[in-house]
Amino acid sequence: MNPSPRTSPATRAGPIPPCPVCAAPAAPFQTIGNQRYHRCPACHARFLAPAHRPTPGDERAHYLTHENHPDDPGYRRFLNRLATPLLARLAPGAHGLDYGCGPGPALAAMLREAGHDVALYDPFFAPDPAPLADTYDFVTCTEAAEHFHHPAEEFARLRALLRPGGWLAIMTCFQTDDDRFANWRYRKDPTHVVFYREETFHHLARHWGWSCAVPHKDVVLMQRPGAPT
């Protein structure tokens, strides 16, 4: 009698959903405690199985524990990794949106101090949808993309918010080492559900027909094609 075939991880845990970033077929990655993670062979993202995502209430409660004050010099130095290369690319008096600004929109304050007009949107802390009806010369998304439960939909929205020639500026900690994933501090945040590699954004940019630059680790600047209006 032949031995029974071993049940695959996907079969035991149910079907693996497609990659939430690029919609390509995904594969098993790691199981850590009772949490299952998958990986995308196409864009190289890693993501938490949808069944393990936090509820909106749990998310908001966790965000309120963050201490990111707009006047904190250390936090401003951290944000300057994105602000400095973005400012070098903006025309004077540009019109922008800080998407996922959180309860203390420090980056918006920094960009306003540099002479730019910045609107705010955050589903928990600045939920007025009016800014989402406008278009912008730039959109920033700092330490927010890793929280996206539906990143493909979020990125489609962000692209639509940008005028031709506009910049999408993202900051998120790049995932680089699979062997260290289980003990990675960033993974342990219960609100972080998708993890990007530098290759993920290059893959998306090629798919969109956009340019993509990584001026610093964990910072990506993507430009919509076309002449600024």
Side-chain angles (χ1 to χ4, degrees):
M1 179 183 295
N2 293 328
S4 299
R6 298 182 67 183
T7 305
S8 70
T11 302
R12 291 196 303 268
I16 294 176
C19 174
V21 179
C22 73
F29 178 45
Q30 293 183 21
T31 298
I32 303 167
N34 66 347
Q35 295 183 311
R36 297 190 310 278
Y37 294 87
H38 307 307
R39 62 179 179 84
C40 178
C43 76
H44 304 283
R46 274 67 172 148
F47 61 96
L48 182 66
H52 302 309
R53 292 170 183 162
T55 66
D58 289 341
E59 281 190 274
R60 188 180 191 281
H62 186 76
Y63 298 152
L64 289 172
T65 68
H66 294 179
E67 296 184 0
N68 298 328
H69 300 292
D71 297 326
D72 180 0
Y75 188 46
R76 284 182 166 235
R77 283 193 299 272
F78 170 74
L79 293 174
N80 262 327
R81 291 191 295 162
L82 180 144
T84 298
L86 175 62
L87 287 169
R89 291 164 166 83
L90 296 180
H95 181 47
L97 173 68
D98 187 1
Y99 188 89
C101 61
L107 180 62
M110 294 163 62
L111 296 173
R112 288 167 178 163
E113 290 163 9
H116 302 291
D117 173 48
V118 185
L120 303 177
Y121 176 75
D122 187 284
F124 295 104
F125 302 105
D128 181 358
L132 302 180
D134 202 351
T135 57
Y136 300 91
D137 302 308
F138 66 92
V139 174
T140 61
C141 181
T142 58
E143 294 298 304
E146 62 276 8
H147 303 282
F148 289 165
H149 288 197
H150 305 285
E153 296 175 15
E154 298 280 5
F155 288 137
R157 171 185 281 181
L158 295 175
R159 296 199 310 276
L161 289 167
L162 282 163
R163 300 166 180 167
W167 291 93
L168 174 58
I170 297 172
M171 177 184 283
T172 186
C173 191
F174 295 161
Q175 192 268 331
T176 58
D177 190 337
D178 289 348
D179 291 338
R180 296 182 179 180
F181 185 78
N183 293 317
W184 187 28
R185 175 191 59 81
Y186 212 65
R187 181 203 67 82
K188 293 181 178 181
D189 186 309
T191 62
H192 292 179
V193 299
V194 59
F195 308 93
Y196 310 85
R197 293 189 170 209
E198 183 175 326
E199 300 99 307
T200 308
F201 294 105
H202 287 296
H203 177 91
L204 293 176
R206 287 192 298 271
H207 180 69
W208 302 343
W210 290 29
S211 67
C212 180
V214 179
H216 299 291
K217 180 184 178 297
D218 305 332
V219 173
V220 60
L221 301 178
M222 307 172 80
Q223 187 177 30
R224 179 177 176 176
T229 56

